[in-house]
Amino acid sequence: MGKVLRPWTAIKVQETENEFIVYVTGREYTFQKNKLFISSITSLGQELLNGGLLLKGVDTDEPIKLTDAQTFLFEQADDKVTFIASAQSTSFIFNVSTTIEYDGCTFFELTVVPRSLTVRQAFGFDKFVLPKYEL
């Protein structure tokens, strides 16, 4: 656990049924539990995001549609907090790590991996067609 320097204060996290709210000196960061990215950042009561962060691209000739999105609190300390989120589309699995430090510095790391064959496809019971995609 790192040290929180003055004038900042220790990070606090509040969890509800649908979201996490991170309290950092003068700011609030909100994560919906069913979204891949942070949904709101406020500073002294003013919203800083014009809208939630979006992932745009084409997957199998259609706009990417994320399913099964989940966000988890991974690590919490006085000086930083890290959330891990995951979602999938037809051809990809998306993982996002978001770390917020006590001074408000925020790091996002997006990992994209292709989905693998299903068991039925691997054994030749279902046909596998290489999908068309672009990010």
Side-chain angles (χ1 to χ4, degrees), residues 13 15 28 32 44 59 64-65 75 77-78 100 105 112 115 117 119 125 130 132 134:
V13 177
E15 181 177 1
E28 294 178 11
Q32 300 294 320
L44 302 175
D59 182 352
I64 288 176
K65 181 181 177 190
E75 180 179 45
D78 288 346
I100 303 169
C105 186
V112 181
R115 292 182 63 170
L117 299 176
V119 172
F125 295 114
L130 186 64
K132 295 180 185 177
E134 79 180 55

Side-chain angles (χ1 to χ4, degrees), residues 15-103:
E15 181 177 1
T16 68
E17 184 178 338
N18 299 315
E19 65 187 12
F20 294 98
I21 303 172
V22 180
Y23 298 94
V24 177
T25 309
R27 282 176 237 121
E28 294 178 11
Y29 300 77
T30 303
F31 294 83
Q32 300 294 320
K33 290 184 177 180
N34 63 350
K35 301 286 184 190
L36 187 60
F37 295 105
I38 193 167
S39 58
S40 173
I41 302 172
T42 61
S43 179
L44 302 175
Q46 292 289 106
E47 179 61 50
L48 300 179
L49 297 180
N50 188 25
L53 299 177
L54 300 174
L55 180 68
K56 288 190 167 190
V58 176
D59 182 352
T60 318
D61 292 329
E62 297 290 328
I64 288 176
K65 181 181 177 190
L66 297 178
T67 61
D68 302 323
Q70 297 179 349
T71 298
F72 304 94
L73 176 59
F74 178 71
E75 180 179 45
Q76 181 180 356
D78 288 346
D79 64 328
K80 70 179 179 178
V81 62
T82 300
F83 290 89
I84 303 294
S86 180
Q88 57 187 335
S89 69
T90 302
S91 303
F92 300 103
I93 297 172
F94 301 89
N95 295 305
V96 176
S97 170
T98 305
T99 300
I100 303 169
E101 296 183 348
Y102 69 91
D103 60 358

